[in-house]
């Protein structure tokens, strides 16, 4: 069996590795347009934070590791066309016949129609190694940087650049940052910290109309102009699609339509990761989830279904965790601001507790649940202590339709240095607002 995978993304790599385990006699080939595989989307920021000695070290897998698994890797090769009726693909280097084809080319972040689209010296994003390496010197030499978009990627970038003593202009069209993952009332302690950052300038409810370049970049906003040494965009995440993808059935946002088993409208062609819509488990609808954990799982499930379609892809909960400006932030599932998209009435509870019996750092907690059944629908966490792992337990509870009463009896380990007497999920239904052990 000839398996071709387009894109050495998280989705493509996870599909290739799992397919190798499932089909030991298959020939597996990954075609990647960039010059290296496995670069971390936040690799540039991690390198600037001295987490890696070299920018090229910021990877989750190497070409050598893939080849050790008998997975062929073709770098700097671009898919030009696909012929599903003949089971053939055309690249800039040749034609190939496939038995199974997996499209995993990932997404890009590009703000269109702002005036710099034809500027060869400007690249708006840093998702892959080639782009990151191209803009590295400009980022390092810049005294001021404008960031368009205050989602997770924008906030992480702003935090890194502020730590590097750069002046940061953070521009967001919505009322507050991280609006997809957190309620505004919950973020008050975090937002208070942002306001205290002397080198961070926020522009909320603001739209970029144009970016012009002279000696510096001039960002035209609603009624004002921001000047900076460089500009990056972290908005408008969308699939990297070529013209030939019109041969497949697409959604209105140009994501590729797939069935429950991730096969496209063309037989033996699968699509995964940031190219597709996925079920959002508590909203009874499919949504666009351009997240690494989603991409990895979809790649695995596509591999499972290459020969026999038996394992449905269940989607995700939009679970995230990050650290920015000294705060750990995590979220999963529904937030209260999204009450209008849920079919039944919801309710919410907020409370705090200290991280452990020996660490009095506050953990801020908020949960969203179905009012009638008290089934958990979402959770948000905020602390200056490392609380991120707790969000995975909450995601698992949501996936298993657990109620607040059931969570009260959920088993957790206890160790005074690392835990409180009860975990946040245990405490939801105890009506306690205090910061003590219970």
């Amino acid at each position: 069996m000839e398996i071709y995978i387009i894109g050495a993304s998280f989705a493509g790599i996870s599909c290739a590795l799992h397919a190798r385990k499932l089909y030991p006699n298959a020939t597996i080939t990954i075609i990647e347009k960039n010059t290296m595989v496995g670069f971390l989307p936040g690799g540039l920021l991690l390198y600037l934070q001295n987490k890696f000695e070299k920018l090229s070290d910021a990877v989750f897998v190497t070409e050598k590791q893939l080849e050790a698994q008998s997975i062929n890797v073709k770098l700097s090769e671009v898919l030009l066309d696909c012929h599903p009726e003949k089971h053939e693909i055309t690249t800039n280097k040749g034609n190939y016949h496939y038995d199974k084809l997996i499209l995993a080319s990932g997404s890009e972040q590009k703000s269109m129609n702002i005036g710099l689209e034809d500027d060869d010296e400007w690249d708006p994003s840093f998702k892959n190694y080639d782009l990151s390496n191209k803009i590295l010197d400009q980022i390092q030499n810049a005294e001021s940087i404008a960031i368009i978009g205050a989602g997770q990627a924008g906030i992480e970038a702003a935090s890194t650049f502020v730590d590097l003593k750069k002046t940061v202009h953070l521009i967001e069209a919505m009322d507050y940052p991280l609006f997809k993952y957190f309620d505004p009332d919950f973020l008050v302690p975090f937002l208070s910290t942002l306001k205290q950052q002397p080198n961070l300038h926020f522009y909320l409810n603001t739209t970029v109309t144009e970016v012009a370049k002279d000696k510096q970049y001039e960002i035209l906003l609603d009624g004002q102009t921001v000047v900076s040494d460089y500009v990056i965009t972290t908005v408008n995440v969308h699939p990297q699609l070529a013209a030939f993808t019109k041969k497949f059935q697409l959604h209105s946002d140009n994501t590729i339509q797939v069935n429950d088993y991730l096969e496209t409208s063309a037989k033996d062609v699968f699509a995964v990761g940031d190219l597709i819509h996925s079920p959002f488990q508590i909203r009874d609808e499919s949504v666009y989830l351009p997240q690494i954990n989603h991409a990895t799982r979809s790649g695995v499930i596509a591999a499972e279904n290459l020969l026999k379609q038996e394992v449905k892809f269940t989607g995700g909960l939009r679970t995230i965790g990050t650290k920015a400006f000294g705060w750990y932030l995590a979220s999963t599932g529904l937030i209260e601001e999204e009450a209008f998209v849920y079919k039944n009435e919801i309710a919410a509870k907020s409370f705090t507790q200290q991280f452990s019996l020996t660490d009095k750092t506050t953990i801020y907690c908020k949960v969203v649940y179905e009012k009638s059944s008290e089934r958990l629908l979402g959770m948000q966490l905020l602390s200056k202590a490392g609380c991120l792992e707790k969000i995975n337990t909450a995601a698992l509870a949501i996936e298993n339709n657990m109620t607040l009463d059931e969570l009260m009896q959920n088993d957790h380990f206890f160790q005074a240095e690392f835990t409180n007497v009860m975990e946040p999920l245990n405490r939801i239904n105890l009506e306690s607002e205090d910061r003590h052990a219970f």
Side-chain angles (χ1 to χ4, degrees):
M1 179 168 62
E2 293 279 353
I3 300 173
Y4 277 84
I5 300 170
I6 309 302
S9 61
F10 280 88
I13 296 296
S14 64
C15 183
L17 291 173
H18 196 54
R20 170 53 65 223
K21 294 178 183 178
L22 296 174
Y23 318 111
N25 297 322
T27 299
I28 302 175
T29 303
I30 297 175
I31 295 176
E32 168 58 45
K33 69 177 183 179
N34 293 302
T35 58
M36 67 181 294
V37 301
F39 187 72
L40 295 167
L44 174 63
L45 301 181
L46 293 170
Y47 170 71
L48 292 172
Q49 296 167 21
N50 295 316
K51 304 295 184 183
F52 293 103
E53 184 177 343
K54 298 181 296 184
L55 181 63
S56 58
D57 292 337
V59 298
F60 67 95
V61 72
T62 66
E63 183 180 0
K64 183 178 293 187
Q65 288 172 326
L66 293 172
E67 290 175 344
Q69 296 288 324
S70 298
I71 296 171
N72 305 315
V73 180
K74 295 178 178 290
L75 298 176
S76 302
E77 189 162 353
V78 180
L79 179 64
L80 300 178
D81 206 351
C82 178
H83 312 282
E85 70 284 355
K86 297 189 293 184
H87 280 56
E88 288 182 358
I89 55 173
T90 301
T91 74
N92 61 325
K93 296 184 178 180
N95 297 310
Y96 307 97
H97 178 273
Y98 66 84
D99 294 306
K100 305 292 179 179
L101 176 67
I102 299 92
L103 303 176
S105 51
S107 62
E108 58 186 352
Q109 291 175 301
K110 186 176 294 185
S111 185
M112 305 301 292
N113 302 318
I114 61 173
L116 290 177
E117 291 73 34
D118 296 326
D119 187 342
D120 292 335
E121 295 183 5
W122 179 71
D123 274 297
S125 182
F126 48 90
K127 286 197 68 176
N128 62 53
Y129 174 77
D130 294 337
L131 288 177
S132 295
N133 193 46
K134 180 178 178 180
I135 70 173
L136 177 58
D137 287 343
Q138 297 177 75
I139 293 293
Q140 289 177 318
N141 295 329
E143 295 183 2
S144 60
I145 298 177
I147 302 171
I148 303 173
Q152 182 180 353
I155 286 291
E156 290 172 349
S159 179
T160 298
F161 298 151
V162 167
D163 285 344
L164 294 172
K165 311 302 181 185
K166 300 181 186 296
T167 298
V168 175
H169 302 280
L170 190 54
I171 304 162
E172 172 56 55
M174 302 300 290
D175 296 338
Y176 64 102
L178 299 169
F179 68 92
K180 288 184 179 180
Y181 311 106
F182 299 95
D183 291 308
D185 61 320
F186 180 76
L187 284 179
V188 168
F190 175 70
L191 297 178
S192 177
T193 295
L194 298 190
K195 292 177 182 178
Q196 297 170 18
Q197 302 293 322
N199 292 338
L200 177 64
H201 305 282
F202 252 112
Y203 306 84
L204 299 174
N205 289 311
T206 303
T207 302
V208 176
T209 56
E210 186 180 355
V211 179
K213 184 184 177 184
D214 190 7
K215 293 182 179 179
Q216 291 179 293
Y217 291 90
E218 295 184 353
I219 302 98
L220 278 62
L221 309 178
D222 302 324
Q224 60 181 315
T225 300
V226 172
V227 178
S228 68
D229 294 327
Y230 199 71
V231 181
I232 62 173
T233 68
T234 62
V235 296
N236 193 25
V237 179
H238 57 276
Q240 293 193 51
L241 295 178
F244 71 82
T245 53
K246 293 180 180 179
K247 297 178 180 181
F248 308 107
Q249 292 181 9
L250 304 176
H251 292 286
S252 59
D253 61 355
N254 285 327
T255 52
I256 299 175
Q257 291 187 25
V258 293
N259 63 15
D260 290 341
Y261 308 95
L262 301 178
E263 188 175 32
T264 70
S265 55
K267 181 176 174 54
D268 295 325
V269 180
F270 295 75
V272 293
D274 293 357
L275 298 182
I276 64 172
H277 271 200
S278 296
F280 193 74
Q281 295 173 4
I282 53 179
R283 281 171 47 176
D284 296 328
E285 62 177 337
S286 65
V287 298
Y288 188 49
L289 294 174
Q291 294 181 297
I292 290 171
N293 55 2
H294 164 266
T296 301
R297 290 181 291 108
S298 67
V300 168
I301 298 306
E304 287 277 348
N305 291 315
L306 291 181
L307 288 184
K308 188 179 295 186
Q309 297 189 3
E310 295 181 334
V311 183
K312 292 184 178 181
F313 183 55
T314 58
L317 291 168
R318 202 177 52 197
T319 304
I320 70 150
T322 189
K323 185 182 181 184
F325 297 99
W327 287 91
Y328 294 90
L329 304 102
S331 172
T332 188
L334 203 69
I335 63 175
E336 192 174 13
E337 289 281 302
E338 297 176 306
F340 66 94
V341 303
Y342 189 67
K343 58 185 177 182
N344 298 323
E345 187 177 0
I346 69 169
K349 290 185 179 183
S350 298
F351 57 94
T352 60
Q353 71 177 54
Q354 65 188 44
F355 180 75
S356 74
L357 294 184
T358 62
D359 184 344
K360 299 186 183 302
T361 305
T362 300
I363 302 179
Y364 297 88
C365 311
K366 182 172 183 177
V367 295
V368 175
Y369 58 95
E370 189 176 74
K371 191 170 184 179
S372 58
S373 67
E374 293 198 335
R375 179 167 68 96
L376 184 66
L377 300 175
M379 189 172 196
Q380 302 164 56
L381 296 172
L382 174 65
S383 181
K384 289 194 173 183
C387 63
L388 298 184
E389 188 62 31
K390 298 180 189 299
I391 207 66
N392 290 332
T393 307
L396 187 61
I398 296 170
E399 289 175 342
N400 285 279
N401 298 313
M402 295 185 72
T403 66
L404 305 191
D405 279 343
E406 290 171 334
L407 288 169
M408 193 161 50
Q409 299 191 62
N410 199 30
D411 193 20
H412 294 89
F413 83 93
F414 169 78
Q415 212 287 338
E417 185 179 355
F418 304 107
T419 71
N420 216 308
V421 173
M422 301 190 79
E423 282 290 286
L425 287 172
N426 297 133
R427 286 193 50 214
I428 299 170
N429 237 16
L430 296 183
E431 304 296 342
S432 171
E433 299 295 327
D434 298 328
R435 300 188 184 190
H436 56 57
F438 294 98

